[in-house]
Amino acid sequence: MKIKITEVSPRDGLQNESKIVSTEEKLLFINKLMESGLEHIEVTSFVRKDRIPQLSDSNELSQLLTDDIKSKSSVLVPNLIGYENALKNGYKEIAIFTAASDSFTKKNINMSIKESIKSFEDISKRALIDGIRIRVYISTVLYCPYEGYINPSKVLETINLLENFLPYEISLGDTIGAGVPSDTEKLLNLLLNKYPSNLFAGHFHDTYGMAIANVAKSIELGIRSFDSSSGGLGGCPYAKGASGNLATEDLLYFLIKSGYETGVSLEKIISASNYIRKILNKDISSKTFQALIPKIEEN
Ligand code: MG
């Protein structure tokens, strides 16, 4: 059985890192990641340059990526200006962002959930005409840093608001990584009553070390697509010092050893993590990275 992996480190990972990585280093990092066989990667975001300095080189970076990598890439766009930039740079897929908690969207983008989705309507109309695929991130699907536990019905309501967008995939984010498999089960049982399982991807964070347990539960319930970040890059902006995104190494080790097909080389992902680790001058929290890096460096 094939499991799809969406690599999010160049965007979701790096945007949370304070040390600025140069465009050339990002290019090399992305090339190394794609050598592993990954079929989907989120490479950057077209936000206002002052918003996220780490991603302010999105135009320059995009000009350096090969068409092959671009055909496997998505880019995050916050508004129509970002969308135009994505289009101009030859991307065929964009990602937009909302959440299942009004406090979270209010604090982050100063809009309610409804307002945030309304703000994407122009993009969705254009994407339909331009033949651009849309991926939607919904954050805080299990817990919110401000509201605590999020009732699954709130997530369902949010998804219902997206019906005109025709997203090919909705990435369900446990943004603070607080969820356990029973939370994931309750959520998916409700969503899969109404929507097909291939509409969803799991985006788990490893703050409490629960990410793989949530992946395993999601697979059991029919989910075949997951987001992860090489080296677990990203940190967690809501819990200082805690690990952030599920590391691609940990996801791959789990999937490969469990007999699933991924098409991705674990060794090559670890090499990519090792490259970016040196640039960021940071430790990699992934257990699989720590276990395997001595062997890989030997060779
Ligand atoms: Mg994330």
Side-chain angles (χ1 to χ4, degrees):
M1 189 198 299
K2 178 91 190 261
I3 303 284
K4 177 189 161 195
I5 296 176
T6 295
E7 173 64 46
V8 299
S9 58
R11 200 278 300 168
D12 189 8
L14 287 182
Q15 78 171 25
N16 288 308
E17 297 292 340
S18 51
K19 179 164 186 236
I20 300 290
V21 179
S22 75
T23 308
E24 290 69 29
E25 289 163 340
K26 281 177 194 160
L27 178 68
L28 206 60
F29 179 47
I30 291 169
N31 286 342
K32 279 177 177 290
L33 287 168
M34 296 315 281
E35 275 169 27
S36 72
L38 282 164
E39 283 165 23
H40 193 216
I41 184 165
E42 190 153 298
V43 286
T44 189
S45 170
F46 288 97
V47 287
R48 249 176 43 200
K49 284 193 188 296
D50 55 323
R51 278 282 163 84
I52 305 174
Q54 182 71 275
L55 303 181
S56 63
D57 62 347
S58 46
N59 278 304
E60 294 82 347
L61 176 67
S62 299
Q63 279 155 29
L64 299 171
L65 295 174
T66 63
D67 288 345
D68 179 53
I69 290 182
K70 271 190 203 169
S71 71
K72 295 169 181 162
S73 296
S74 58
V75 288
L76 189 76
V77 301
N79 51 37
L80 206 50
I81 299 171
Y83 175 83
E84 299 288 0
N85 265 320
L87 207 62
K88 204 175 67 195
N89 278 292
Y91 293 103
K92 298 280 179 271
E93 181 178 328
I94 54 145
I96 55 177
F97 157 95
T98 187
S101 142
D102 277 307
S103 321
F104 192 82
T105 53
K106 284 246 166 75
K107 288 242 180 186
N108 272 284
I109 45 178
N110 202 22
M111 285 188 241
S112 67
I113 296 169
K114 263 197 186 144
E115 287 165 345
S116 78
I117 291 174
K118 187 110 187 80
S119 80
F120 289 126
E121 267 173 16
D122 289 345
I123 295 180
S124 111
K125 280 184 199 145
R126 281 289 309 278
L128 210 61
I129 297 167
D130 298 331
I132 299 292
R133 283 152 45 102
I134 299 185
R135 190 166 198 260
V136 179
Y137 284 105
I138 303 181
S139 289
T140 64
V141 298
L142 299 177
Y143 289 86
C144 166
Y146 315 111
E147 289 183 24
Y149 181 67
I150 298 294
N151 197 297
S153 62
K154 191 74 192 169
V155 184
L156 185 61
E157 265 171 47
T158 308
I159 293 169
N160 289 342
L161 291 171
L162 290 166
E163 259 168 342
N164 295 332
F165 283 69
L166 305 174
Y168 83 92
E169 192 165 80
I170 295 173
S171 172
L172 301 167
D174 180 17
T175 311
I176 57 172
V180 295
S182 58
D183 297 320
T184 297
E185 184 170 20
K186 271 187 216 121
L187 173 65
L188 289 178
N189 278 342
L190 185 72
L191 302 188
L192 299 179
N193 237 332
K194 177 161 180 191
Y195 294 101
S197 57
N198 64 7
L199 179 61
F200 299 108
H203 182 115
F204 294 105
H205 280 211
D206 215 20
T207 322
Y208 292 84
M210 294 294 119
I212 286 295
N214 283 310
V215 167
K217 176 54 77 181
S218 302
I219 290 177
E220 193 186 308
L221 296 172
I223 305 301
R224 300 289 178 261
S225 179
F226 297 93
D227 299 354
S228 62
S229 175
S230 162
L233 225 64
C236 178
Y238 307 98
K240 267 218 168 324
S243 50
N245 289 302
L246 166 60
T248 307
E249 296 89 320
D250 293 338
L251 177 61
L252 275 174
Y253 182 80
F254 168 74
L255 292 175
I256 294 167
K257 293 291 261 187
S258 306
Y260 298 108
E261 271 169 59
T262 64
V264 184
S265 155
L266 174 58
E267 286 72 20
K268 293 219 160 115
I269 289 290
I270 290 179
S271 295
S273 298
N274 199 32
Y275 169 74
I276 201 73
R277 173 185 75 81
K278 288 173 186 162
I279 290 182
L280 293 169
N281 192 21
K282 69 175 277 179
D283 293 331
I284 297 290
S285 57
S286 157
K287 295 270 198 288
T288 304
F289 178 91
Q290 290 167 11
L292 295 180
I293 190 64
K295 268 192 217 160
I296 287 172
E297 282 198 318
E298 242 169 54
N299 294 329

